[in-house]
Amino acid sequence: MEKLLLTVILVTMNLFPSGCSQEIEWNNDLNKTEADMSGYHYLQDDHPAFEQITLEESFRLFENNQSGVVLYSRTSCDFCNAAVPILNEAAKDCNVKILYVDIDDPAFISLPLSDQKELVDHLTELVSSVLENNNLLIPLVVGVKNGKITGSYVGLTDSIKIKEYKDNDKAALNGMKRIYTTIIHSVLK
């Protein structure tokens, strides 16, 4: 009887794998490059799970009914520095790449202020359904499936320590990781 039960458990585990065990390629034709995440000082991974796209490229996810998980962030943001390693771990567990938009991208910063405002206003319009009081804050993680937002999170949970990142307990980090994994799953299902 124990062998039968063990066999049933093993077969069930193979049919319904936990986590995100398959390699996933988002169905988009965005112009992506390898992201330079070296400015995120809490990220200790030589091969992080991020591909960089421009702000304008991120619009194409919504406007062309494409799919992916986007991180809007910048290295000078303490909240972003704490979020990136947690999101990286969730992405690696799910075998996906996160689309990274650097808000401080030199190409964006070099634009006239009126053009910058126009682009930020357009992003705000695209993600307005997940913003509080139409305030665009970072880090912003958005799951997009076929052009529609399936999940999102702004900032970090209150239990994450920002300045003393290394002092975070495992439960706090795992709670944030579950939020990011849920966003990734919302795009994969």
Side-chain angles (χ1 to χ4, degrees), residues 36-115:
D36 176 8
M37 305 302 283
S38 62
Y40 290 94
H41 51 271
Y42 297 132
L43 182 63
Q44 303 297 310
D45 187 338
D46 292 334
H47 304 286
F50 295 92
E51 294 177 313
Q52 190 159 349
I53 60 173
T54 64
L55 183 59
E56 294 92 330
E57 282 291 294
S58 77
F59 300 163
R60 293 181 55 207
L61 282 171
F62 302 95
E63 295 165 349
N64 295 348
N65 298 323
Q66 297 183 14
S67 301
V69 175
V70 184
L71 167 65
Y72 297 92
S73 178
R74 69 171 177 235
T75 59
S76 61
C77 164
D78 290 335
F79 290 92
C80 301
N81 267 283
V84 164
I86 304 167
L87 180 57
N88 183 60
E89 189 176 325
K92 286 206 160 192
D93 286 354
C94 292
N95 293 315
V96 299
K97 294 283 188 176
I98 302 300
L99 301 168
Y100 167 62
V101 176
D102 180 3
I103 300 302
D104 285 340
D105 179 16
F108 175 75
I109 298 298
S110 67
L111 292 172
L113 287 177
S114 60
D115 291 349

Side-chain angles (χ1 to χ4, degrees), residues 129-174:
S129 65
V130 300
L131 301 178
E132 262 186 56
N133 301 320
N134 240 15
N135 291 324
L136 189 59
L137 303 172
I138 57 172
L140 171 60
V141 178
V142 180
V144 181
K145 183 173 184 176
N146 300 325
K148 305 284 187 245
I149 295 175
T150 57
S152 67
Y153 200 85
V154 177
L156 295 167
T157 60
D158 291 339
S159 59
I160 300 291
K161 297 175 186 172
I162 306 301
K163 296 288 186 185
E164 307 87 22
Y165 182 79
K166 293 181 189 313
D167 295 336
N168 278 302
D169 65 10
K170 198 85 166 147
L173 297 173
N174 283 337

Side-chain angles (χ1 to χ4, degrees), residues 26-27 39 47 49 69 94 113 179-180 183:
W26 303 121
N27 64 339
H47 304 286
V69 175
C94 292
L113 287 177
I179 291 169
Y180 290 146
I183 293 170

